[in-house]
Amino acid sequence: MARIALDAMGGDFAPQATVAGALLALAELDPAHSIQLVGSTAVVEAQLRALLDGELSSHAAQRDRLAIVEAPDVIEMTDKPSAVVRGKPNSSMAVGLRLQADGQSDAFVSAGNTGAQMAASMVLLRLHAGLDRPAIVTLFPSARKPVAVLDSGANVDCSPEELVQFARLGATYVECVLARPNPAVGLLSIGEEPEKGNAVTKEAHALLQSAGLNFIGNVEGRDLPAGGTESHPVDVVVCDGFVGNVVLKFYEAIAPLMIGTLRNIGVTAEQLEAGLKHLDYSEYGGAPLLGVKGVSIISHGKSSPRAIKNAVKVAVQAVVSGMNEQIGARLAAAESAA
Amino acid sequence: MARIALDAMGGDFAPQATVAGALLALAELDPAHSIQLVGSTAVVEAQLRALLDGELSSHAAQRDRLAIVEAPDVIEMTDKPSAVVRGKPNSSMAVGLRLQADGQSDAFVSAGNTGAQMAASMVLLRLHAGLDRPAIVTLFPSARKPVAVLDSGANVDCSPEELVQFARLGATYVECVLARPNPAVGLLSIGEEPEKGNAVTKEAHALLQSAGLNFIGNVEGRDLPAGGTESHPVDVVVCDGFVGNVVLKFYEAIAPLMIGTLRNIGVTAEQLEAGLKHLDYSEYGGAPLLGVKGVSIISHGKSSPRAIKNAVKVAVQAVVSGMNEQIGARLAAAESAA
């Protein structure tokens, strides 16, 4: 049973996309799970009424598993991330995360200001022992299984030790939430040989070899869309958040470019949908912020109701799989082995 | 009139692809241009005979504009780049670049060991004054015009000053060789705001604002496939060679993935060719190594005859446009302005 707090006010299309996403998620989830919509009660109630009276009238049965939690303050994209918890303690982000810190919720999902969510998650949930920073993990569609890439934007300049921490977080995530045992971990670099790379990756390579992970060595940019090679598929790819964010935004922009190009030459919308569905980001939903003691899922600012629905499902999987407890246990084991 | 030295022995498909590429290039180039095939005379002559007696029999007229320059040593992919000039002075790479240093050739093209080509180019051609390192510039297909990305693999850890040098090299290249006046230069980062990025990009951002270039600020990963935005198209994107190489290899792997996916859903080969032609790397040919006093064009190790042909054409454009002299002049002007 998971209680998911959803930031009803976060994202470019809130509250319409968030409230609709909540209803869609509940329709697909086991009835034991519930959602707490965090935001202005008046705004959320009005939106809920409009949807249930209109396009989502078939979802009335889900209303009972929805609670509304009042949070009157609004976070702007221009708000300084570090000031949100103190400056806007009654914002949907601070209230939603505090529910979890107080044991009244199991996970938090937001499509709002990412920097603010990271900062508030660190303050209100705190980091697991043995970590310097949290990391955002994103699933990249690939020719094989989706590849978990981290960090994809939380940290710009990373130490070799932090890259090892990311590897541990990513491996635990893939094993628990994606149910892939003994995931293969690759280090993103510019050549397969250990001596290829920049100063940080070369040192990280050496550390990863004795980290107790299934480390398969360096991987290259081509291994992200390919999912590794036939003989060496890869599940987790570790990099600093500068490289990870550049590649993520690059990948997000490829699909629209391809679709426009292919429509121009007569490929039909049905062909495209069938062919490119696995490259559609909204299929994958939110990106977990790993390392905090709890579950905090970051959704894209442009999240549609479907993307919100999938982010809520990611949150449920994280809770049900015991991801957070597993991360704590693995980090403690690594500390005591060191 | 340009004399292009082509490394006949370089690349996975040499000498077939290189000799065939030379014949294809000469058929398309102005008759004033010529090619020097550098390699084992016996091997090159045999290959030439086989092609002219066989699939390229219609290209006999091009034979007169082909010279063969003897270079018996062979560079392996495992050779240490820094040892090539001294250790294998009679390799096709060393001989081909020495021709240019001695004024007997105007440009060098190779699909061989990239590290060896860089090292040999620096030793035999030397760097322009005011530069610390050369940079490899690659043209990325985009929804707008191709974007020149540098460095795409020559340098892993770069200083802010080096990124400014790359910006100057790239802008001169785009203006001279691609004939786009006043090219827009962007700095690859993880947000548009100047304060977004890692330590090196933040400092580079400040330096670029007073570098006398058409600097449009930070660009993001999405601006590479998009070519920038409607209101801010971008011609040159500057980054360190680690990020540049990761993104380049990522991009190279996208097209095959897409093609496989789309073929599976019934998109025809003709549709694909029409739609994806501008995303095909072999259309763009070689990547110039900018900063050396001369012209040194790096081709992909897997270059087909068509890719070699296009690399030779890039070399001719570089020579005819006076790229090298322009780079020297711009760097000298920047030095005296500083």
Side-chain angles (χ1 to χ4, degrees):
Chain A
M1 183 214 83
R3 301 158 298 175
I4 311 298
L6 173 63
D7 178 357
M9 316 308 279
D12 296 357
F13 309 125
Q16 197 273 339
T18 49
V19 177
L23 289 169
L24 296 176
L26 288 172
E28 294 186 16
L29 288 168
D30 184 285
H33 307 305
S34 60
I35 293 179
Q36 299 151 321
L37 285 168
V38 188
S40 153
T41 306
V43 169
V44 173
E45 272 181 346
Q47 182 64 61
L48 200 49
R49 215 173 305 123
L51 286 164
L52 290 175
D53 286 349
E55 53 181 312
L56 293 181
S57 57
S58 63
H59 285 64
Q62 275 78 62
R63 180 66 185 85
D64 291 348
R65 287 147 66 208
L66 268 181
I68 299 176
V69 179
E70 172 69 2
D73 292 352
V74 174
I75 296 175
E76 310 292 344
M77 291 310 281
T78 49
D79 276 336
K80 233 184 141 194
S82 54
V84 161
V85 173
R86 261 195 221 184
K88 297 194 172 169
N90 296 316
S91 60
S92 50
M93 227 170 240
V95 171
L97 284 162
R98 213 178 298 114
L99 282 178
Q100 195 178 157
D102 294 345
Q104 296 169 46
S105 178
D106 302 300
F108 178 67
V109 175
S110 177
N113 182 323
T114 298
Q117 185 176 352
M118 276 176 43
S121 297
M122 285 176 70
V123 171
L124 294 171
L125 302 178
R126 285 173 300 128
L127 285 176
H128 280 288
L131 293 182
D132 298 313
R133 300 273 304 162
I136 298 172
V137 60
T138 309
L139 287 182
F140 276 44
S142 90
R144 281 172 247 276
K145 294 174 184 168
V147 178
V149 177
L150 74 171
D151 174 40
S152 57
N155 313 281
V156 285
D157 290 293
C158 294
S159 67
E161 290 76 17
E162 285 171 324
L163 293 183
V164 176
Q165 293 169 9
F166 298 167
R168 211 175 293 288
L169 290 171
T172 312
Y173 169 74
V174 167
E175 191 158 347
C176 286
V177 179
L178 306 184
R180 294 190 218 162
N182 198 29
V185 177
L187 174 66
L188 189 60
S189 190
I190 59 169
E192 288 173 14
E193 306 83 354
E195 66 275 14
K196 288 277 177 75
N198 59 27
V200 169
T201 58
K202 282 187 234 178
E203 206 176 322
H205 187 107
L207 294 174
L208 281 165
Q209 285 180 311
S210 55
L213 296 163
N214 179 14
F215 177 53
I216 61 165
N218 288 353
V219 297
E220 300 186 73
R222 62 169 170 252
D223 293 303
L224 292 172
T229 60
E230 191 65 41
S231 55
H232 286 98
V234 66
D235 298 296
V236 179
V237 170
V238 176
C239 58
D240 72 45
F242 186 91
V243 178
N245 188 268
V246 165
V247 178
L248 171 63
K249 287 184 179 157
F250 187 94
Y251 210 170
E252 287 179 333
I254 290 277
L257 167 66
M258 285 283 178
I259 289 168
T261 299
L262 294 165
R263 288 308 299 272
N264 284 342
I265 54 156
V267 177
T268 68
E270 291 70 32
Q271 284 178 310
L272 281 175
E273 196 185 351
L276 301 182
K277 192 178 175 195
H278 68 290
L279 296 181
D280 179 355
Y281 267 82
S282 63
E283 284 294 314
Y284 293 89
L289 179 69
L290 297 182
V292 293
K293 289 193 225 170
V295 177
S296 181
I297 309 288
I298 295 169
S299 283
H300 202 290
K302 300 204 186 308
S303 287
S304 62
R306 197 167 77 138
I308 295 287
K309 175 194 80 178
N310 285 321
V312 168
K313 289 167 85 174
V314 169
V316 169
Q317 280 176 293
V319 174
V320 170
S321 68
M323 175 190 85
N324 182 44
E325 296 73 19
Q326 283 290 329
I327 285 176
R330 305 273 181 108
L331 290 170
E335 285 275 291
S336 65
Chain B
M1 186 214 81
R3 300 158 299 176
I4 312 297
L6 173 63
D7 179 357
M9 316 309 280
D12 295 358
F13 309 125
Q16 196 274 340
T18 49
V19 176
L23 289 168
L24 296 177
L26 288 172
E28 294 186 16
L29 288 168
D30 184 286
H33 306 306
S34 61
I35 293 179
Q36 299 151 322
L37 286 167
V38 187
S40 154
T41 306
V43 170
V44 174
E45 271 180 347
Q47 183 63 62
L48 199 49
R49 216 173 304 122
L51 286 165
L52 290 176
D53 285 350
E55 52 181 314
L56 293 181
S57 57
S58 62
H59 285 64
Q62 275 77 63
R63 181 64 185 84
D64 291 349
R65 289 146 65 206
L66 267 181
I68 299 175
V69 179
E70 171 69 2
D73 292 353
V74 173
I75 296 176
E76 309 293 344
M77 291 311 280
T78 48
D79 275 336
K80 231 184 142 197
S82 55
V84 161
V85 172
R86 262 195 221 181
K88 296 194 171 169
N90 295 316
S91 60
S92 51
M93 226 170 241
V95 171
L97 284 163
R98 212 178 298 115
L99 282 177
Q100 195 178 157
D102 293 345
Q104 296 170 48
S105 179
D106 301 300
F108 178 67
V109 175
S110 176
N113 182 322
T114 298
Q117 185 175 351
M118 276 176 44
S121 297
M122 285 177 71
V123 171
L124 293 170
L125 302 177
R126 286 174 299 128
L127 284 176
H128 281 288
L131 293 181
D132 298 313
R133 299 274 303 163
I136 299 172
V137 60
T138 309
L139 287 182
F140 276 44
S142 91
R144 282 173 247 276
K145 295 173 184 168
V147 177
V149 177
L150 74 172
D151 173 41
S152 57
N155 313 280
V156 284
D157 291 293
C158 294
S159 67
E161 291 74 18
E162 285 171 325
L163 293 183
V164 176
Q165 294 168 9
F166 298 167
R168 211 176 293 289
L169 290 170
T172 312
Y173 169 73
V174 167
E175 192 158 347
C176 286
V177 179
L178 305 184
R180 294 190 218 162
N182 197 30
V185 177
L187 175 66
L188 189 60
S189 190
I190 59 168
E192 288 174 14
E193 306 83 355
E195 67 274 16
K196 288 277 177 73
N198 59 28
V200 170
T201 59
K202 282 187 232 178
E203 206 177 321
H205 187 107
L207 294 174
L208 281 165
Q209 285 181 311
S210 55
L213 295 163
N214 179 15
F215 178 54
I216 61 165
N218 288 353
V219 296
E220 299 185 74
R222 63 169 170 251
D223 293 303
L224 293 171
T229 60
E230 191 66 41
S231 54
H232 286 98
V234 67
D235 299 296
V236 179
V237 169
V238 175
C239 57
D240 72 45
F242 186 91
V243 178
N245 188 267
V246 165
V247 178
L248 171 62
K249 287 183 179 155
F250 188 95
Y251 211 170
E252 287 179 335
I254 289 277
L257 168 66
M258 286 282 179
I259 288 167
T261 299
L262 293 166
R263 286 310 297 273
N264 284 344
I265 53 156
V267 176
T268 67
E270 292 70 34
Q271 284 178 310
L272 281 175
E273 196 184 350
L276 301 181
K277 193 179 174 195
H278 69 288
L279 295 182
D280 180 356
Y281 267 80
S282 64
E283 284 294 313
Y284 293 89
L289 180 69
L290 297 182
V292 294
K293 289 193 224 169
V295 176
S296 182
I297 310 288
I298 296 168
S299 284
H300 202 290
K302 300 203 184 311
S303 287
S304 62
R306 196 166 78 139
I308 295 287
K309 175 195 80 178
N310 285 320
V312 169
K313 290 168 86 173
V314 168
V316 169
Q317 280 176 291
V319 173
V320 170
S321 68
M323 176 190 84
N324 182 43
E325 297 73 18
Q326 283 290 330
I327 285 175
R330 304 273 180 109
L331 290 170
E335 285 275 290
S336 66

